[in-house]
Amino acid sequence: MTYVVTESCIRCKYTDCVDVCPVDCFREGPNFLVIDPDECIDCTLCVAECPVEAIFAEDDVPADQEPFKAINAELAKKWKPIIERKPAPPDADDWKDVAAKLKYLER
């Protein structure tokens, strides 16, 4: 089983999760992070670090977030690894409680 970053991360892109990942499985896009399912070792450390609760175990992804399993797998092949925490975007706090953000995902 792997972990999956879901919609809550879009336009927030807090990178607290990156700091605790022992295998550098996160990949960074313009306004979203994904987890490379081939690198994730299921350690669970990132889940508690996500301030917007965007990370779920693959088997626990909410039904309305299921497409993010494929999105993580697809984008992990295209995006570069992120191995250090970075500042969140200046407007991240404005986006953290916004729902239905998939339309804002920049690939």
Side-chain angles (χ1 to χ4, degrees):
M1 178 172 52
T2 187
Y3 281 76
V4 177
V5 181
T6 60
E7 191 168 31
S8 296
C9 181
I10 297 171
R11 301 228 30 193
C12 290
K13 202 171 93 169
Y14 296 103
T15 57
D16 305 51
C17 53
V18 172
D19 258 355
V20 298
C21 182
V23 294
D24 301 330
C25 70
F26 283 90
R27 305 293 181 256
E28 181 182 25
N31 67 351
F32 186 56
L33 299 174
V34 297
I35 292 174
D36 184 335
D38 295 329
E39 297 292 327
C40 181
I41 60 169
D42 312 323
C43 71
T44 77
L45 294 174
C46 59
V47 176
E49 295 301 314
C50 182
V52 294
E53 300 177 353
I55 304 172
F56 294 88
E58 186 177 22
D59 292 343
D60 297 331
V61 171
D64 67 329
Q65 299 294 298
E66 284 284 325
F68 282 89
K69 291 179 183 179
I71 290 170
N72 275 243
E74 171 199 342
L75 297 177
K77 292 179 177 147
K78 298 177 181 179
W79 291 349
K80 294 184 180 190
I82 176 173
I83 57 173
E84 292 181 338
R85 184 177 181 177
K86 295 180 178 180
D91 62 347
D93 288 342
D94 297 335
W95 286 96
K96 70 180 184 177
D97 296 319
V98 175
K101 299 191 285 185
L102 182 57
K103 62 187 170 193
Y104 300 111
L105 175 60
E106 295 176 33
R107 294 174 181 256

